[in-house]
Amino acid sequence: MAQQSSSVVRSASTLSTLWGVSLIILGVLAVGSPFIAAVAVNAVIAWLIVLAGVVHLTVAFQTREAGSVIWRLLVGLAYIFFGVYLIARPALGVASLTLVLASLFLVEGILNIVLFFQIRSLRGSSWVLIDGIVTLLLGLMIYTQWPSSSAWAIGTLVGVSMIISGVTRLMLAFAVRSAADTISSKLAA
C-alpha cells in the first residue's frame, strides 16, 4: 500500500515538475519578446471573446422565448463586436489588458500571501510567500507605469510571473517528493 501511495505522489510531483519547467520556459520567451507576448495575449483573449459571442448567438437561436432570444442576440453581437475590435486594434487591447493584468496580479499576490499563512508549517511553503510578494509588487509596478509602458510591460511582467510561479511549482514538487520518499523509507524499515 505504501509503495502504491508513493508511486502516486511521485507521478503527481513529476507532472508538477513538468508544469513548473514549462512555465519557466514560456516565461523566458515572454521576457525575451515582451511586445510579441503582449500582442499574443491580446489576440488569444480577443478570439475567446469572439468565440463566447458565437456561443451566445447559437444559444439564442435555441431559446423559445422572444425576449430571451433578443437579449441573447444582443449580448452575442456585443461580444463579437468587442472581440473583433480588440483584434483590429491590438494596441488598445494591450493597454486595456494591462490594467486587467495589474488587477489579476494584485489579487493573486494577496491570495498567495494568505495561502502562505494557512500552509506555513509545510516544508517549502516560503516559496508561496515569495511568489505572493513578487506577484503583488509586479501588479503595483504595472499601475505606476501605465499607460506609457503597456506595450512592453505586459509581456515582461507576465514572463517574470510565469518564471517565479514555475520555480515555486518546482520547489513544492521537490519538497513533496522528498517527504514521500522519507515516509516511504520509514514505512519500509
Side-chain angles (χ1 to χ4, degrees), residues 57-127:
L57 290 177
T58 303
V59 170
F61 288 114
Q62 295 177 356
T63 303
R64 303 255 188 251
E65 300 168 17
S68 182
V69 170
I70 293 170
W71 177 252
R72 290 180 194 268
L73 281 173
L74 291 174
V75 169
L77 291 172
Y79 269 76
I80 291 171
F81 174 78
F82 186 67
V84 169
Y85 187 79
L86 288 177
I87 292 167
R89 299 191 186 274
L92 178 64
V94 169
S96 301
L97 290 176
T98 299
L99 289 178
V100 171
L101 181 68
S103 301
L104 175 67
F105 279 176
L106 292 172
V107 170
E108 179 185 358
I110 291 167
L111 291 177
N112 278 344
I113 292 168
V114 169
L115 176 62
F116 163 75
F117 287 107
Q118 292 177 350
I119 66 167
R120 67 178 169 244
S121 63
L122 296 176
R123 186 174 171 209
S125 64
S126 60
W127 285 99

Side-chain angles (χ1 to χ4, degrees), residues 136-170:
L136 185 64
L137 291 173
L138 290 173
L140 290 172
M141 282 176 50
I142 294 172
Y143 276 123
T144 61
Q145 297 180 3
W146 190 84
S148 65
S149 62
S150 293
W152 61 266
I154 192 168
T156 301
L157 295 174
V158 166
V160 169
S161 179
M162 290 173 80
I163 291 168
I164 298 295
S165 293
V167 169
T168 300
R169 303 294 178 264
L170 285 176

